[in-house]
Amino acid sequence: MFGKMAYGGTIALTVGVVAVEHLHAPTLVLFAVAALALVGLAWVLGQATESLGHHAGPRIGGILNATFGNAAELIITIFALAEGLTTVVKASIIGSIIGNVLLVLGASILLGGLKNGVQSFSVEIAGINASMLAIVAAALSLPTIFAVTNPGPNPTNLSIEVAVVMFVLYILYLLYILRSPEGTATAEGGEAPFGRIASLLLLFVATAAVAYVSEAFVGAIEPLTEEYGISELFVGVILVPIVGNIAEHVVGVQIAYKNNMDFSMGISLGSSIQVALLVTPLLVFLGPLLGHPLRLSFTTLELAALGAAVVVTGFVALDGKSNWLEGAMLCGVYVIAALAFFFS
Amino acid sequence: MFGKMAYGGTIALTVGVVAVEHLHAPTLVLFAVAALALVGLAWVLGQATESLGHHAGPRIGGILNATFGNAAELIITIFALAEGLTTVVKASIIGSIIGNVLLVLGASILLGGLKNGVQSFSVEIAGINASMLAIVAAALSLPTIFAVTNPGPNPTNLSIEVAVVMFVLYILYLLYILRSPEGTATAEGGEAPFGRIASLLLLFVATAAVAYVSEAFVGAIEPLTEEYGISELFVGVILVPIVGNIAEHVVGVQIAYKNNMDFSMGISLGSSIQVALLVTPLLVFLGPLLGHPLRLSFTTLELAALGAAVVVTGFVALDGKSNWLEGAMLCGVYVIAALAFFFS
Amino acid sequence: MFGKMAYGGTIALTVGVVAVEHLHAPTLVLFAVAALALVGLAWVLGQATESLGHHAGPRIGGILNATFGNAAELIITIFALAEGLTTVVKASIIGSIIGNVLLVLGASILLGGLKNGVQSFSVEIAGINASMLAIVAAALSLPTIFAVTNPGPNPTNLSIEVAVVMFVLYILYLLYILRSPEGTATAEGGEAPFGRIASLLLLFVATAAVAYVSEAFVGAIEPLTEEYGISELFVGVILVPIVGNIAEHVVGVQIAYKNNMDFSMGISLGSSIQVALLVTPLLVFLGPLLGHPLRLSFTTLELAALGAAVVVTGFVALDGKSNWLEGAMLCGVYVIAALAFFFS
């Protein structure tokens, strides 16, 4: 029932984007319709990936999730990069990570805690995720510190080499998922919603639609920031990641509400790790081809928010217990970060 | 016995402040007598709050402790803000937090460890406190990073909005205390030292006396820094928090000495959280009314000390064990921070 | 068998340094031969210390290890300081710490995990080491933040006072080792390889040889950086610590391979703590005597790498479990840091 309405709504919104574009509607309308369409399409993409994973078995399914899980976000940021919006692209990398660990994990802990009281989770799994998150945050931070202290002309080289290291770590991460007996913690079994061919077809159609709508969405960013005085940093850190991830976020919160904190943390922290290790290097590699090299140099505010998010998440994760107050505090830090980016 | 002497001494010192003021004694004498009187009055305030809490039951008692626990410090900083000493006020916010987590927790672990060997405590309670401390530190840091990178005219707005978020988190914190079955960990039961009316009266008298002496104390800060070349940062970070909190600190150390590390950590970390979530927003709200808006932008050294204190405390707390060497190291970091602030 | 070859090779290399110096061979050759000789001599020094420890009993042995464990590195940096290479000296302090916690611990966890699957270790011991590491990192960072924000003339005073505090903490650390029943975790018992007098003699001869070769090694640094354009920062952060510590590193990795993670972490984290608490203050004290006062002000990149290493290690350590992926990620962060320092 919900499924059918969601597919219908997504199709309507995608068609709406085409219509709005041809009617030359105001930028804000185009931006809003495209954003809503992307929310739906990201969800469809997730459904197609999951269905294909069902047919391919848990191992390949785990890898499919680990590669296509952030596909919508990757496509949006590629189009933004092609438009030369490097500030938005870099901001959305950071925003995606802090959104996952502050807002999504926070909302999960808050609602899960209000429903279930103090929630327990495996310190081992949470600890590995928190460690890996800290490691990728360190990897993202060091080139920036370098860029700030060495304002010379060649940091692009360093960015590409760092991206190579991160991509190698991503390959190792996939190997780890393949080698580990249980794959990544997958959702409760059930039936694949589509056949093998239908899943594959849906994946291609949804990807194409995401690409089309992303172009419209990204094209509206610059006029929007100019007309309404919203900073590119705010669009990148807050709006783009929410559009690209919200479907996944809702799932993470629902699972916490069902008191499966291990799986819920796996979604939010795993998605952050993926953005850092897969999306970021791909964007760095594609940059020169698209005529807009992407240097891994973030703003101080971005790095501070990232560092704060990582330390806070680590501390929340490493005691193996969570309560609703911790969730509310994580959301509070996200709101404070959003305020700071809004005024930037 | 000790109680009577302490009350007597506090009265004598408070009268002493009046005398010293009228005799126009040297600034250093006024500063010292007022500081000692405040130490005593903060202790009396704590006694009155606790006694009132006994009559009101554990839940209301927990809330009374959570609101009046840092009353002396709040009053001192309000007077400092009214005098326009914003540097001192901001420094004392940071100083109160790092004093609690480095000096008080350090001394507790050091003396507790020398007496009792390796001490254990609940990872769960310590973990929640450490998480919340990290979260409030993040909340305090982000507006500063913003202020440093956006040197425009409007950070006051951001400070007020951040203060609203922090105050909302404080209300949630109070709700959490009310909802949790055992309230905050309270001290061993025993009898209320005063009747209900006497407790209330003592609370009012002590508060009035703190206000009077605070004015004298704060008035002596500026001449003191000018005459003796002590930096305002040092006064704010080191001296003001010690004066406002030392009575509470002694209690925390005593409890660790009695091998109740859970309660001892609750006092030192809980007090830090309160300063961040209650004292700080109140000062931001009062600033414009007092003619001295308080911007939440701290110095790099203040933020570095805060960050170091939070990470160090988290690591000490999250393994569930402490030994005297860890305590000595925490005190050592405090001494190093104090040296850095002294030379500033 | 290995032992005899190692001693023979070390003697040959040490003689080689003398030969190369008198033949006025190219700088790169001298640097390479001296580096290899130092690797061997550091290993001999370790063997002599351990053998002497066998004769002196576990307590004194623990103290010998805690003082002579970084003797080779101390001697190299003293000669570098005497040459006025303060950049190299400070870089090698940071490099030694991050090398131990990222590269050595990373390689240990990677190889140990590939051999033994998920490895467990005592959260208590790892937690104390991680806490102490965070504390010494904080102690190293604060004077830098001070120096950056107060660019006045007197930071040397602060450096000396901070060094005094760190040295006092080191004395307490030795007392802790003496008081703790089991001493530091020592290697598997076995026989002392040399007699008491032979051990002592070997210690003196090896120390003298390290001093001689260090002078040649350090003398080659400046021409090397000028001829080949390698930054002093890279030499200090990456090359010097590897030369001074590699023998010890190999031991740490071997022990992890044998699935004794507690002892392996003790070596890598313990060595970092020693560099911070013993080597650093000694260099600060010796600076004025050698005519080159050493100010404890590190570069932003150095501090960022240190902070990242400490947080990452803490998170890896505090969950009590490690897997090969975490090890690979730690090594990846080291490679990224090395790249950043290389381009500096």
Side-chain angles (χ1 to χ4, degrees), chain A residues 97-111:
Chain A
I97 297 175
I98 69 168
N100 271 305
V101 301
L102 293 178
L103 184 61
V104 183
L105 189 60
S108 302
I109 289 176
L110 173 59
L111 294 175

Side-chain angles (χ1 to χ4, degrees), chain A residues 315 319 323 326 333 339-340 344, chain B residues 127-128 131 135 146 150 161 176:
Chain A
F315 283 0
D319 60 2
N323 63 55
E326 285 183 321
V333 175
L339 285 170
S344 283
Chain B
I128 287 175
S131 302
I135 289 166
F146 170 84
N150 292 48
E161 289 168 21
Y176 179 77

Side-chain angles (χ1 to χ4, degrees), chain B residues 70 72-81 85-100 140 217-218 221 232-245 271-272 275-276 279-280 283 294 298 302 306 334 341:
Chain B
N70 289 75
E73 197 168 1
L74 179 60
I75 296 168
I76 300 171
T77 44
I78 288 174
F79 276 98
L81 188 56
L85 300 168
T86 49
T87 303
V88 173
V89 170
K90 289 190 287 184
S92 78
I93 291 171
I94 300 296
S96 187
I97 297 175
I98 69 169
N100 272 305
L140 282 177
F217 177 74
V218 164
I221 289 176
E232 287 198 343
L233 214 53
F234 181 75
V235 171
V237 172
I238 307 295
L239 294 186
V240 171
I242 285 182
V243 165
N245 290 314
S271 178
S272 297
V275 167
V279 174
T280 306
L283 290 168
L294 190 72
F298 299 94
E302 285 171 339
L306 179 64
Y334 184 78
F341 285 113

Side-chain angles (χ1 to χ4, degrees), chain C residues 43-131:
Chain C
W43 175 78
V44 172
L45 214 53
Q47 292 286 308
T49 308
E50 215 175 280
S51 176
L52 203 63
H54 269 285
H55 293 287
R59 268 146 209 265
I60 306 295
I63 290 193
L64 275 173
N65 267 323
T67 42
F68 275 83
N70 290 76
E73 197 168 2
L74 179 61
I75 296 168
I76 300 172
T77 43
I78 287 174
F79 276 98
L81 188 56
E83 284 268 309
L85 300 168
T86 49
T87 304
V88 173
V89 170
K90 288 190 287 184
S92 78
I93 291 171
I94 300 296
S96 186
I97 297 176
I98 69 169
N100 272 306
V101 301
L102 293 178
L103 184 61
V104 182
L105 189 59
S108 301
I109 289 176
L110 173 59
L111 294 175
L114 285 176
K115 173 85 187 315
N116 308 296
V118 172
Q119 293 183 291
S120 301
F121 45 86
S122 154
V123 174
E124 186 181 340
I125 297 177
I128 288 174
N129 276 316
S131 302

Side-chain angles (χ1 to χ4, degrees), chain C residues 26-323:
Chain C
T27 312
L28 193 60
V29 174
L30 175 60
F31 186 80
V33 176
L36 290 173
L38 280 173
V39 168
L41 288 168
W43 175 78
V44 172
L45 214 53
Q47 292 286 308
T49 308
E50 215 175 280
S51 176
L52 203 63
H54 269 285
H55 293 287
R59 268 146 209 265
I60 306 295
I63 290 193
L64 275 173
N65 267 323
T67 42
F68 275 83
N70 290 76
E73 197 168 2
L74 179 61
I75 296 168
I76 300 172
T77 43
I78 287 174
F79 276 98
L81 188 56
E83 284 268 309
L85 300 168
T86 49
T87 304
V88 173
V89 170
K90 288 190 287 184
S92 78
I93 291 171
I94 300 296
S96 186
I97 297 176
I98 69 169
N100 272 306
V101 301
L102 293 178
L103 184 61
V104 182
L105 189 59
S108 301
I109 289 176
L110 173 59
L111 294 175
L114 285 176
K115 173 85 187 315
N116 308 296
V118 172
Q119 293 183 291
S120 301
F121 45 86
S122 154
V123 174
E124 186 181 340
I125 297 177
I128 288 174
N129 276 316
S131 302
M132 284 185 31
L133 189 62
I135 289 166
V136 298
L140 282 177
S141 306
L142 291 175
T144 299
I145 313 285
F146 171 84
V148 169
T149 50
N150 292 48
N154 63 356
T156 317
N157 270 350
L158 177 63
S159 292
I160 289 176
E161 288 168 23
V162 168
V164 169
V165 175
M166 295 175 91
F167 195 70
V168 169
L169 291 177
Y170 178 70
I171 302 291
L172 294 174
Y173 179 58
L174 288 188
L175 277 175
Y176 179 77
I177 292 173
L178 267 181
R179 279 173 59 111
S180 71
E182 74 289 357
T184 39
T186 43
E188 45 295 11
E191 279 297 293
F194 308 105
R196 184 187 298 257
I197 304 292
S199 305
L200 214 63
L201 214 71
L202 189 62
L203 194 68
F204 278 109
V205 171
T207 305
V210 167
Y212 181 84
V213 178
S214 288
E215 196 170 13
F217 177 74
V218 164
I221 289 177
E222 214 159 8
L224 191 84
T225 54
E226 277 160 19
E227 276 175 46
Y228 297 89
I230 301 170
S231 76
E232 287 197 344
L233 214 53
F234 181 75
V235 171
V237 173
I238 308 296
L239 295 186
V240 170
I242 285 182
V243 165
N245 290 314
I246 202 165
E248 201 182 345
H249 291 178
V250 172
V251 173
V253 174
Q254 280 175 337
I255 289 166
Y257 198 75
K258 290 177 191 159
N259 210 7
N260 187 350
M261 281 309 289
D262 281 320
F263 188 32
S264 176
M265 291 185 86
I267 290 180
S268 52
L269 299 186
S271 178
S272 298
I273 293 163
Q274 238 175 77
V275 168
L277 292 187
L278 177 61
V279 174
T280 306
L282 286 183
L283 290 167
V284 172
F285 297 151
L286 286 172
L289 307 178
L290 297 170
H292 297 285
L294 189 73
R295 282 177 198 156
L296 290 178
S297 71
F298 299 94
T299 68
T300 312
L301 190 56
E302 285 171 340
L303 278 196
L306 178 65
V310 167
V311 171
V312 162
T313 310
F315 284 0
V316 168
L318 280 169
D319 60 2
K321 306 269 179 188
S322 63
N323 62 55

Side-chain angles (χ1 to χ4, degrees), chain A residues 310-326:
Chain A
V310 167
V311 170
V312 162
T313 310
F315 283 0
V316 168
L318 280 169
D319 60 2
K321 306 269 178 187
S322 63
N323 63 55
W324 66 265
L325 184 61
E326 285 183 321

